[in-house]
């Protein structure tokens, strides 16, 4: 599965929009505030990274809890692993990329070791799996 989505740099105060992918500005962590708006801030490295996906996952866990999905893809180090665990512990649905499809298995491997990933999938299967998870959750909350 593949999809065409717009990509942009997040700006403090903006709310994420459906169908968009956001990246943090260079050398800034990206968080969501209590209203679900972006906060871009300079700060010390977390897991040796700035920006750090752990920071983002932690804020998503605090804001959305069980209503969130976190996906950790290929990458070096352990960035994102503890944040994905926090997201899972708050009831979020978590996915890690498998070793065979990862260029560098560091980040997903660390998350798997922590028990942060509910499922581990090859990259080509993640989008389809996610569509199925979303369809099931929408069916569960839709009135009959």
């Amino acid at each position: 599965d593949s999809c065409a989505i717009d990509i942009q740099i997040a700006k403090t105060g903006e709310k994420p929009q459906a169908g968009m992918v956001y990246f943090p500005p260079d050398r800034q962590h990206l968080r969501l505030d209590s209203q679900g708006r972006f906060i871009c801030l300079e700060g010390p490295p977390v897991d040796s990274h700035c920006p750090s996906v752990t920071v983002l996952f932690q804020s998503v866990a605090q804001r959305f809890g069980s209503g969130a999905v976190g996906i950790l893809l290929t990458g070096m180090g352990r960035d994102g692993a503890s944040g994905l665990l926090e997201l899972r512990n708050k009831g979020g649905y978590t996915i890690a990329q498998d070793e065979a499809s990862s260029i560098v298995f560091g980040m997903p491997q660390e998350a798997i070791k922590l028990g942060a990933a509910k499922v581990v999938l090859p990259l080509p299967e993640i989008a389809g799996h996610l569509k199925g998870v979303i369809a099931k959750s929408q069916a569960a909350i839709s009135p009959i």
Side-chain angles (χ1 to χ4, degrees):
D1 271 319
S2 64
C3 53
I5 0 184
D6 292 326
I7 299 171
Q8 70 182 50
I9 302 298
K11 294 179 183 77
T12 295
E14 288 184 340
K15 278 198 165 193
Q17 299 299 311
M20 295 291 296
V21 172
Y22 296 92
F23 283 96
D26 285 341
R27 294 177 289 284
Q28 293 185 19
H29 294 299
L30 181 60
R31 300 183 56 83
L32 293 172
D33 69 13
S34 62
Q35 305 300 310
R37 294 178 304 232
F38 291 126
I39 302 172
C40 304
L41 59 132
E42 293 181 8
V46 174
D47 295 326
S48 302
H49 295 276
C50 185
S52 167
V53 72
T54 289
V55 171
L56 177 61
F57 282 163
Q58 288 171 336
S59 73
V60 169
Q62 292 166 8
R63 171 70 175 97
F64 296 103
S66 63
V69 174
I71 303 169
L72 192 58
L73 303 176
T74 186
M76 189 179 303
R78 59 174 290 107
D79 185 34
S82 62
L84 196 70
L85 179 61
E86 186 169 335
L87 186 56
R88 184 168 187 195
N89 287 342
K90 295 276 188 178
Y93 194 87
T94 57
I95 302 169
Q97 185 175 352
D98 74 343
E99 183 174 12
S101 68
S102 293
I103 295 170
V104 178
F105 190 48
M107 291 165 55
Q109 180 180 40
E110 292 299 322
I112 293 164
K113 284 181 188 176
L114 288 176
K118 180 175 177 68
V119 294
V120 179
L121 296 168
L123 182 60
E125 294 179 22
I126 292 174
H129 181 81
L130 186 55
K131 287 177 186 176
V133 168
I134 292 168
K136 285 179 190 173
S137 70
Q138 287 176 338
I141 61 173
S142 295
I144 297 176

